[in-house]
Amino acid sequence: MRIGLILCLPLLLAGCFQPLYGDPAVVRTAGLGNKLAGVKVEPIESPNGTRLARVGGRVRDDLIYDLTGGSGEAPATHKLDIKVSSSNKSIIVDVNTNRPDVQDYGINATYTLTDLRTGKAVVKGKTFASVSYNIPGQEQRFAGVRGLRDAENRAAKVIADSIHSRLASYFVAGT
C-alpha cells in the first residue's frame, strides 16, 4: 500500500506542471506561441556615442533575438520600454601603483510592458547584472579595454535573459 501511494503521488503532481515552451499540439495549455514575438522592443535611449548607447543596443538586440528566436517579429501586440544605467567600480587596487586590477561592471534596467490594445502597463520591473573583469596592467591597456567590452556584453545578455524570463512568465501565467 505504501509503495502504491508513493507511485501515485507523482501522478497527482503531474497535473500541476505547465510546460513553458512545449508543443500546444501535445499539451493544450503549453507554449507561448507567437505571444513573445508580438512584443515590440523600443530603442533604448542613451546619449549617442557613449559606451551606454552600445550596451543599450546590445540589450535590445539580445532581447529581440530571445523573443523572436531569430525568425522576425510578429504583428505587435505589446510594447516594451527599457531604461538602462551603468556603473563601474574598482574591486581590487594594486597598492604599489594605485591602479585597479579587478573591476566590477554593472547594469541597472527598468522596463515596462504595455498592452497596445488597451494602452495599460501590464508588467513593470527592475533587474540588474553585475560582472567582474581583470585589468592586466599598464603594459596591456588594450586588454583592459577589451575586458570592459566583454563585461558589458555579458551584463547585457544577463539583463536580456532576465527580462525575457519575466515576460515569458507573464504570457503564460497572466501575472
Side-chain angles (χ1 to χ4, degrees), residues 129-140:
S130 181
V131 296
S132 63
Y133 65 98
N134 294 337
I135 300 176
Q138 183 61 21
E139 300 82 23
Q140 299 180 17

Side-chain angles (χ1 to χ4, degrees), residues 29-42:
T29 61
L32 294 172
N34 289 330
K35 294 176 187 175
L36 288 176
V39 175
K40 180 177 188 258
V41 182
E42 295 292 322

Side-chain angles (χ1 to χ4, degrees), residues 49-73:
T50 62
R51 294 190 81 86
L52 190 59
R54 191 191 73 76
V55 170
R58 183 69 187 243
V59 169
R60 182 174 185 262
D61 290 346
D62 285 345
L63 194 54
I64 289 172
Y65 185 80
D66 287 347
L67 294 174
T68 63
S71 64
E73 296 178 8

Side-chain angles (χ1 to χ4, degrees), residues 12 24 27 31 36 38-39 52 71 74 81 83 96 106 121 124 135 137 143 165:
L12 292 174
V27 179
L36 288 176
V39 175
L52 190 59
S71 64
D81 291 308
K83 294 183 181 4
N96 296 326
K124 289 184 179 184
I135 300 176
S165 296

Side-chain angles (χ1 to χ4, degrees), residues 17-19 24 27-31 172:
F17 177 73
Q18 181 177 359
V27 179
R28 189 175 51 83
T29 61
V172 169

